[in-house]
Amino acid sequence: MPIHVDSCSRRHFLSTSALLGGGLLTRFSLGAAADGDPESYALLSDTHISADPAKVLRETHLCDNLKAVVAEVKGRPKRAAAVFLSGDAALNDGQPGDYEQLLTQLSPLLGEGAPPLHIGLGNHDDRANFRAIVKPRGPATIESKHVALVEGRDVNWFLVDTLRFTNKVEGELGEEQRQWLNAALKAHADKPAIVVGHHNPQFPPAAQAENAEATQVKHTGIVDTELFVSLLESHRHVKAYIYGHTHNWSHQRRESGLHFINLPPVAYVFDKARPNGWVEVTTTPGKAVFKLHALSKTHPEEGATVELALGPTS
Ligand SMILES: [Zn+2]
């Protein structure tokens, strides 16, 4: 990791953050953990940070929630190999001040010796403002989207960008990104793959196509879901698609064996019974275990795990 920090000045901090925002790298290899030692990752989603550090939305103090999560990630006995934030980093429409505040709040996870951090984009982000403030490292792999490949020891992480229009609910991979993903997956078929984006898959209601009501279902997820999921399922080494957006921690396994894991939000939930928090992933050559760290330690799902076999890729 090319990290050089010798000052805490604001200017220096921002340029350091730029180095750490590794999202635009075509290929990014992590320092390998010792064999047999699990490698761990921190997965965050939907922080919804405002320029105003006191902002409260839906009875949730946004910066306080992120502070608590950052402290937990930082306090884990084993340092994460990488930290991913899967979109809706900003409050509503991705203002420059939102990203400045986000970097301030993430500062305990930045700096010398810190794991690489990738910030993905959701429908409440603005790609141009994000690039201007966070200054992700390296040239854009594809100009239209903010993508990255992070090579772990047991798993390769493909970080996609489903932001379609800022502050419009639905998302999209788009043709250019699907082509990039297809080629990148093909070129890295020797190791299990996990794809991380912001929006949820949403299949059209095909079975009731003649039903006029069904065809009017509102698009809130990925508009090119069928193309995206069939792309994922055409690569047998793709084990899971991970996303946020619905603020609803959940898991499902498709008939093909592909897992969908919906991350909890760091910020507010839409249904008060659901947990907010973050997810820690530990990988070994045979499996990846996703563990919920709920912000409320008394939540019934605190500590819940989802296990993925990373077995043979054929
Ligand atoms: Zn959100």
Side-chain angles (χ1 to χ4, degrees), residues 229-307:
V229 174
S230 65
L231 188 165
L232 298 181
E233 291 181 333
S234 72
H235 295 276
R236 302 302 298 167
H237 62 297
V238 178
K239 301 302 174 187
Y241 173 57
I242 315 296
Y243 52 94
H245 190 53
T246 68
H247 296 214
N248 184 15
W249 158 250
S250 64
H251 165 241
Q252 52 180 298
R253 184 179 183 277
R254 286 171 57 78
E255 223 169 86
S256 66
L258 179 71
H259 294 260
F260 287 159
I261 298 178
N262 197 167
L263 298 173
V266 169
Y268 50 86
V269 286
F270 296 118
D271 171 354
K272 285 203 171 9
R274 305 304 301 141
N276 49 10
W278 64 286
V279 170
E280 182 175 31
V281 184
T282 50
T283 71
T284 53
K287 65 181 180 187
V289 179
F290 290 66
K291 181 179 179 184
L292 173 68
H293 291 268
L295 275 170
S296 163
K297 300 308 169 197
T298 57
H299 191 280
E301 288 174 73
E302 161 63 6
T305 57
V306 172
E307 200 170 305

Side-chain angles (χ1 to χ4, degrees), residues 22-257:
L24 293 181
L25 296 179
T26 24
R27 223 173 136 165
F28 188 29
S29 288
L30 300 171
D35 274 353
D37 208 11
E39 197 159 71
S40 72
Y41 298 85
L43 271 50
L44 283 57
S45 191
D46 297 271
T47 50
H48 290 281
I49 292 300
S50 158
D52 173 9
K55 179 76 181 172
V56 172
L57 186 61
R58 294 175 187 259
E59 301 168 40
T60 303
H61 191 296
L62 302 167
C63 276
D64 278 0
N65 275 31
L66 180 54
K67 265 194 187 88
V69 166
V70 164
E72 286 189 15
V73 170
K74 180 128 178 149
R76 298 301 295 155
K78 187 175 160 48
R79 200 201 82 157
V83 178
F84 304 139
L85 163 51
S86 74
D88 279 5
L91 176 68
N92 194 41
D93 57 0
Q95 292 297 311
D98 301 343
Y99 295 115
E100 285 174 359
Q101 185 61 244
L102 177 73
L103 290 175
T104 300
Q105 296 300 327
L106 290 172
S107 60
L109 294 177
L110 302 172
E112 194 162 11
L117 167 70
H118 176 90
I119 302 172
L121 301 174
N123 47 301
H124 292 297
D125 289 303
D126 181 291
R127 197 175 291 106
N129 288 344
F130 170 80
R131 283 175 167 165
I133 302 299
V134 177
K135 302 184 181 72
R137 187 169 60 164
T141 307
I142 49 176
E143 197 50 48
S144 65
K145 295 283 191 178
H146 172 56
V147 299
L149 162 57
V150 176
E151 294 183 79
R153 186 194 59 192
D154 307 311
V155 175
N156 288 327
W157 300 83
F158 295 78
L159 308 166
V160 300
D161 172 355
T162 62
L163 165 59
R164 190 185 197 201
F165 302 118
T166 296
N167 212 8
K168 281 191 73 179
V169 68
E170 80 278 9
E172 182 181 39
L173 272 285
E175 192 178 348
E176 188 185 19
Q177 180 169 226
R178 280 188 270 108
Q179 280 177 7
W180 168 79
L181 181 61
N182 194 37
L185 286 169
K186 210 176 276 180
H188 297 86
D190 56 328
K191 205 181 274 184
I194 295 179
V195 179
V196 183
H198 177 72
H199 285 80
N200 57 296
Q202 183 185 11
F203 290 93
Q208 298 86 31
E210 64 282 4
N211 177 338
E213 251 179 86
T215 58
Q216 286 167 20
V217 169
K218 184 171 162 48
H219 260 300
T220 56
I222 295 171
V223 297
D224 48 354
T225 290
E226 284 177 302
L227 291 167
F228 174 49
V229 174
S230 65
L231 188 165
L232 298 181
E233 291 181 333
S234 72
H235 295 276
R236 302 302 298 167
H237 62 297
V238 178
K239 301 302 174 187
Y241 173 57
I242 315 296
Y243 52 94
H245 190 53
T246 68
H247 296 214
N248 184 15
W249 158 250
S250 64
H251 165 241
Q252 52 180 298
R253 184 179 183 277
R254 286 171 57 78
E255 223 169 86
S256 66

